[in-house]
Amino acid sequence: MWDKRPDTIVHEESPFNAEPARSALCGRDVTPVDTFYSRNHGPIPEITKDDWQLRITGLVTTPLALSFAELTGRFDTHAVIATLQCAGNRRTGFNQVRDIPGEDPWGPGATSTAEWRGARLRDVLQAAGVQDDPSLHVAFGAPDVSDLATPVQPYGGSIPLPKAMSEEVLLAWGMNCEPLPRVHGGPVRVVVPGFIGARSVKWITSITVQPEPSDNFFQSRAYRILPADADPDTAKPGDGISLSSVALNCDVLAPEDGATVPAGPMTLHGYALAGDDRTVERVDVSFDGGSTWTQAALEPTHSKWGWQLWSFALCAAPGPLHVTVRAWDSTGSTQPESAATLWNPKGYANNSWATANFDVT
């Protein structure tokens, strides 16, 4: 489906929600399009380049209406290698603590990296005469209608103006040197590196500069961390903590969790990701549940907005092998130990220590 790899893990066909197997992500600085995870909230719209139009309104001096040809021809093209991560990434770890009904059981594969090409959002906002006020917000609107929302409505979201004016935020029409595929938001989507994937709105058709965050369901009620005892069905707009920057996270990609591996030399591979403009500085590996730790080797990085790949070589003895990993970022912060202390009723932002188990024979 949607030209994805045969080993893609499809959580839902409609809306289409799928992630790659761990091993499919392993060792790749940039994720192939057929491997990149897909998160949707409704039917995938079909919009041609000729039909697409973007309107920029709100607190601007010169509202704009741009065709695809005007966007791509009027503004300079920029590229950024950036990782997107779903806020529900690693939700399966929460399900082991307490079930989260109605939410897809994402593993660690709701994370992928691409080279995105497009116009800087900053350049478009400046052309529209955006006000220089850091308290403002930039709201994005799209045509994909979701019946998951109450009431049913098109998808939307917003980011603070200072983030919108950052050089890494793009209105992207290219992915991995190809036209942006429809399933990933083509012809044009927003790419907001360092923020949860939900803010990188696909199929964008409107931008509004406004005093407050978007009142769209997916900004005001979804993608918020509620208290563990809250009922998400009765939560009011603004309840909980609105998600923006990605939480520091990591996981093991290969070998696959639960695999049987031969005794002797083996190498663990994985990824780590620090949100917004933070960087991963260290990844630790433990074989005794976190009593002692050894540093993994960090691979060279190609972008401050991309994930950090890591590896760890060991000689595995026959028997069960239990692996625990954690990352540290450039602020000196590390991941919390237990998913139980982070559990929330929507299952967002599980960045507890990651584990993998192997049977060594």
Side-chain angles (χ1 to χ4, degrees):
M1 179 174 288
W2 294 104
D3 296 323
K4 293 299 179 183
R5 290 168 52 115
D7 59 353
T8 296
I9 303 165
V10 178
H11 296 299
E12 292 182 272
E13 292 189 1
S14 182
F16 182 61
N17 289 311
E19 65 179 296
R22 293 174 187 245
S23 56
L25 292 173
C26 183
R28 299 177 182 268
D29 294 320
V30 171
T31 309
V33 173
D34 69 352
T35 307
F36 206 100
Y37 84 95
S38 185
R39 174 68 172 110
N40 296 287
H41 302 81
I44 294 173
E46 185 172 2
I47 308 171
T48 68
K49 293 179 181 178
D50 291 339
D51 293 335
W52 181 84
Q53 187 179 70
L54 175 65
R55 294 185 178 276
I56 301 95
T57 60
L59 299 177
V60 296
T61 59
T62 310
L64 297 176
L66 299 172
S67 67
F68 185 84
E70 289 169 332
L71 177 67
T72 58
R74 178 175 173 180
F75 299 95
D76 292 340
T77 301
H78 298 273
V80 61
I81 295 175
T83 300
L84 297 186
Q85 185 172 97
C86 178
N89 188 57
R90 298 184 61 213
R91 183 177 284 134
T92 51
F94 281 149
N95 287 336
Q96 295 170 12
V97 176
R98 179 179 164 193
D99 190 36
I100 301 175
E103 299 291 341
D104 290 331
W106 295 101
T111 307
S112 302
T113 302
E115 184 200 60
W116 310 96
R117 289 182 181 267
R120 284 181 175 144
L121 176 58
R122 177 177 69 188
D123 293 346
V124 175
L125 290 173
Q126 288 176 336
V130 67
Q131 296 184 20
D132 183 16
D133 183 346
S135 70
L136 297 178
H137 297 261
V138 179
F140 307 125
D144 52 319
V145 176
S146 175
D147 60 10
L148 301 175
T150 306
V152 173
Q153 60 194 268
Y155 189 84
S158 63
I159 60 175
L161 180 61
K163 180 64 177 180
M165 298 298 284
S166 300
E167 65 178 13
E168 70 276 2
V169 180
L170 298 182
L171 294 172
W173 56 77
M175 182 180 183
N176 293 354
C177 298
E178 299 289 341
L180 183 64
R182 176 183 164 200
V183 70
H184 290 296
V188 180
R189 71 175 295 167
V190 188
V191 174
V192 187
F195 273 34
I196 62 168
R199 306 306 177 217
S200 290
V201 175
K202 293 179 283 189
W203 312 291
I204 183 170
T205 54
S206 70
I207 296 174
T208 307
V209 181
Q210 55 192 50
E212 304 293 337
S214 171
D215 63 0
N216 185 275
F217 174 87
F218 294 99
Q219 180 81 37
S220 65
R221 292 181 61 183
Y223 293 108
R224 307 182 74 90
I225 293 184
L226 299 171
D229 60 351
D231 180 356
D233 293 331
T234 60
K236 300 184 297 296
D239 285 357
I241 302 168
S242 180
L243 291 165
S244 55
S245 298
V246 173
L248 175 66
N249 219 329
C250 73
D251 216 314
V252 179
L253 294 177
E256 289 273 359
D257 182 30
T260 298
V261 297
M266 68 176 289
T267 302
L268 302 171
H269 297 273
Y271 73 80
L273 181 67
D276 210 4
D277 60 353
R278 304 185 304 277
T279 56
V280 174
E281 295 297 314
R282 196 173 88 207
V283 172
D284 294 338
V285 181
S286 175
F287 301 100
D288 54 13
S291 295
T292 60
W293 299 89
T294 306
Q295 291 185 44
L298 303 184
E299 308 298 334
T301 58
H302 299 278
S303 169
K304 65 177 291 186
W305 301 107
W307 54 15
Q308 173 69 66
L309 300 180
W310 59 267
S311 62
F312 188 93
L314 69 147
C315 187
L321 178 64
H322 179 75
V323 178
T324 305
V325 295
R326 68 182 182 188
W328 296 76
D329 71 15
S330 51
T331 69
S333 298
T334 191
Q335 298 172 245
E337 177 178 353
S338 171
T341 62
L342 302 172
W343 191 95
N344 59 91
K346 296 291 285 184
Y348 294 139
N350 178 17
N351 73 325
S352 60
W353 294 356
T355 61
N357 293 282
F358 309 106
D359 181 18
V360 183
T361 59

